[in-house]
Amino acid sequence: MASHVVVIDSTARRAVVKVTPGKYLSDVLQEACKKLGLTASLYGLKNNNKQVDLSRTIRLSGLSSGAKLELALLSRSTSVVSVALQLPESVAGNVPNGRLVGKFPSTTTLWLILRKFESGAVGGSTENRNFTARATAKTMNGDSGAGRLYYETPVLQVMGREFSTFADLQKTLGQLGFNGGSTLLRLNFRATETPLEEAMAEIGQYFKSGESKEEAHSESVTHTESARETEPTDITEDQAALKSTPEPSSDSLRPEETQQAEVEDEVEENTVVGPGQRPMSVYAPPDNSTPQAARQNFNEADYEPTIDHAKTHQSRLSLSAQNKRLASEAELRAQEEAAAARLAAVSDVEIKIRYPDQSQVVSRFHATDTSATLYAFVRSTLHYEDQPFTLSFFSARGPLKAIPPDDSSLSLIRDLGLSGRVLVSLLWSPSASADARLGRPGTLKAEFAAAARELRVEDVRAVDTPDAAGTVEADGGTDKAGGSAREGGARKGVPKWLKLPGKK
């Protein structure tokens, strides 16, 4: 039978724990983490890459003498444990089989489990019971009379272990080795020599810290949710402040701002009145089948990975290998509420419709517009209005998502989540006519095709970047002196002190 075990953490530190056949593995974990200076509630034990049941004793675990156990970091999201409370016959009453069953997080203490069961919050019974404030009357020296009330403490038996003191009842299910599955608690009562009023005062002081922690946790969660709810309001106020800021004069505009202002003026000039008196901008298809980005000159050295790129890649791999806490239900609910609040703050969205012949139409849609409004607008711009088609866009998570056609109850912003600028692609249905699919004589109506303008994209000017040897031009790889950068740097070759004797 094992006389000691060796616990090893992730940094190869070792802690030798002396054990007996009746010692529980949860106590081994507590003692090892105390020696290593770690928090036992965050770790579990593994043997030969298999998780060890902490609720078992050394005798039942099958570990040999000197077995090596590895500390494994547990998931930070609490697991659920099904707990059955076996009641004594004196208080069982009409409870089926004398057992109350409920589900609790693994961070729940034994005292809180008793309080939950006696209040009727769990267990499928609404009857109030008394498990934690019982008392018995005793008289002094056999005298007759009412006597004095003495506290009757609850005693829990779990897997052969007995918990009766207040310190024992503060232990959580996880500390006892129950991080999932189910367990049975047997309840009994034991009379003590402590008066009831003193015991109740001790209970109030002893469990005050735990209750204050729970209240602080709930306040922090409430504060976090309120902060997330006020976040969209702050963004809206910032946007309003930006809109209310006076426009700078043309003399103070930098070249980038001047270019942006020219693009906005061009968009305003290109605006025409579309279907339903909706302003829109129409852009003609490109005259070249090759994208403009593919026709620009580029430097091959920009695509060669450097040491900094490798270090960044390694750091990201190490971060992705670490365990991350899963969001709780309250946090997920807060995220959904924050996302809904952000969408509610969006008043309009700019949608660019791209047609099969690469024509583009840009228009703004409001929060009251639906899928039927978008389909009616696009249908009114087509030369073949009676031909079926579908609209699709790339959602925030990446995959292409189709917009249900002519759904008047589906909001573009609230239900589909469109915000900012969105690209929507038009695709003809397989049942569409051949002329419509080939674009003969055109995809757009004649009046809109005649108002189409060319979409101009300004070329990005190359910027010279300095390197380690000095300032080098972007295109030729030569320095300002006119010579090659290789010639101005250190001379390549084998140094003289490294040459073997006898060789020239």
Side-chain angles (χ1 to χ4, degrees):
M1 195 58 64
S3 60
H4 75 279
V5 292
V6 181
V7 181
I8 306 174
D9 65 352
S10 59
T11 59
R13 293 188 301 168
R14 304 162 69 93
V16 179
V17 180
K18 294 183 179 181
V19 296
T20 58
K23 191 169 187 176
Y24 286 84
L25 288 172
S26 58
D27 297 336
V28 174
L29 175 63
Q30 295 280 346
E31 187 174 345
C33 290
K34 185 177 181 180
K35 291 183 177 180
L36 298 175
L38 301 174
T39 304
S41 60
L42 301 178
Y43 294 90
L45 293 177
K46 284 187 176 182
N47 179 252
N48 295 330
N49 293 329
K50 292 183 179 180
Q51 197 75 26
V52 176
D53 189 357
L54 299 180
S55 62
R56 294 186 177 183
T57 60
I58 294 294
R59 178 185 291 109
L60 300 178
S61 63
L63 297 176
S64 59
S65 178
K68 294 183 179 179
L69 302 175
E70 299 89 11
L71 280 177
L73 190 64
L74 297 177
S75 176
R76 294 188 179 181
S77 58
T78 58
S79 56
V80 179
V81 182
S82 179
V83 178
L85 182 65
Q86 182 70 44
L87 303 179
E89 296 182 358
S90 58
V91 297
N94 56 355
V95 178
N97 298 325
R99 290 187 181 183
L100 298 175
V101 182
K103 293 184 178 181
F104 301 91
S106 59
T107 56
T108 310
T109 61
L110 298 178
W111 181 267
L112 187 58
I113 291 176
L114 292 177
R115 294 295 300 270
K116 290 286 186 180
F117 276 122
E118 72 178 0
S119 63
V122 294
S125 177
T126 58
E127 181 182 355
N128 292 330
R129 296 178 174 84
N130 185 9
F131 298 152
T132 60
R134 297 174 63 89
T136 56
K138 293 183 181 180
T139 57
M140 299 299 294
N141 299 325
D143 297 337
S144 61
R148 190 175 185 181
L149 294 178
Y150 289 88
Y151 182 66
E152 196 173 20
T153 181
V155 180
L156 289 177
Q157 292 182 353
V158 186
M159 297 287 292
R161 307 172 70 179
E162 185 178 284
F163 301 93
S164 59
T165 63
F166 292 150
D168 293 339
L169 295 176
Q170 271 195 328
K171 293 184 177 180
T172 63
L173 294 173
Q175 291 176 344
L176 300 181
F178 301 105
N179 292 312
S182 59
T183 183
L184 175 64
L185 307 181
R186 297 183 181 274
L187 176 63
N188 287 305
F189 301 101
R190 181 181 300 164
T192 63
E193 299 298 330
T194 305
L196 179 61
E197 58 274 10
E198 296 181 6
M200 297 306 294
E202 186 179 356
I203 290 174
Q205 294 295 329
Y206 208 90
F207 295 99
K208 183 177 180 181
S209 59
E211 294 176 357
S212 62
K213 289 180 181 179
E214 294 179 0
E215 293 177 357
H217 177 69
S218 60
E219 291 178 359
S220 63
V221 172
T222 306
H223 177 71
T224 304
E225 293 180 355
S226 61
R228 290 175 178 173
E229 291 177 357
T230 56
E231 181 180 357
T233 306
D234 299 339
I235 296 176
T236 306
E237 293 177 355
D238 295 341
Q239 292 177 351
L242 290 176
K243 292 182 180 179
S244 62
T245 304
E247 297 182 358
S249 60
S250 58
D251 298 336
S252 62
L253 288 177
R254 296 191 297 271
E256 296 82 358
E257 297 177 351
T258 305
Q259 181 180 357
Q260 182 68 20
E262 292 177 357
V263 173
E264 294 178 356
D265 294 341
E266 180 184 354
V267 171
E268 293 179 357
E269 294 177 358
N270 194 26
T271 301
V272 297
V273 178
Q277 302 299 318
R278 187 185 298 273
M280 68 178 188
S281 301
V282 185
Y283 297 99
D287 54 357
N288 196 327
S289 60
T290 305
Q292 184 176 0
R295 300 196 302 267
Q296 293 181 353
N297 297 328
F298 63 94
N299 188 6
E300 291 285 351
D302 295 340
Y303 298 92
E304 295 180 0
T306 61
I307 297 178
D308 294 336
H309 294 156
K311 291 181 178 179
T312 304
H313 181 64
Q314 290 293 336
S315 63
R316 289 176 179 175
L317 289 179
S318 61
L319 288 176
S320 61
Q322 295 179 0
N323 292 335
K324 297 181 180 179
R325 183 181 66 86
L326 299 178
S328 62
E329 294 183 359
E331 292 174 347
L332 292 176
R333 193 182 308 109
Q335 292 175 6
E336 293 177 358
E337 294 176 356
R342 285 195 297 269
L343 291 178
V346 177
S347 59
D348 55 8
V349 58
E350 182 178 309
I351 298 180
K352 176 187 288 186
I353 299 99
R354 184 171 60 189
Y355 296 84
D357 62 347
Q358 301 303 313
S359 300
Q360 298 180 8
V361 172
V362 182
S363 183
R364 285 192 173 273
F365 292 82
H366 303 287
T368 57
D369 293 328
T370 61
S371 170
T373 308
L374 179 60
Y375 269 87
F377 172 78
V378 175
R379 190 177 291 110
S380 301
T381 61
L382 293 174
H383 181 74
Y384 297 94
E385 297 186 22
D386 56 340
Q387 299 300 318
F389 63 91
T390 57
L391 299 176
S392 58
F393 70 101
F394 284 96
S395 61
R397 295 186 177 181
L400 189 66
K401 184 177 181 180
I403 301 177
D406 301 325
D407 189 352
S408 58
S409 62
L410 189 66
S411 174
L412 296 177
I413 296 177
R414 185 181 64 257
D415 298 328
L416 295 179
L418 304 184
S419 62
R421 296 180 177 180
V422 182
L423 176 63
V424 175
S425 301
L426 185 146
L427 181 64
W428 291 112
S429 300
S431 58
S433 63
D435 293 339
R437 298 172 64 87
L438 296 176
R440 295 180 302 194
T443 304
L444 296 176
K445 290 184 176 179
E447 59 269 22
F448 299 134
R453 303 290 183 88
E454 180 184 357
L455 181 61
R456 294 186 303 173
V457 180
E458 300 294 336
D459 295 336
V460 180
R461 184 176 60 87
V463 180
D464 298 339
T465 56
D467 58 1
T471 303
V472 180
E473 295 182 0
D475 53 354
T478 58
D479 56 12
K480 290 186 177 181
S484 173
R486 184 181 297 274
E487 295 175 359
R491 185 176 180 180
K492 303 293 182 179
V494 181
K496 292 182 179 180
W497 58 269
L498 190 57
K499 291 183 179 180
L500 297 176
K503 293 186 178 181
K504 301 298 182 183

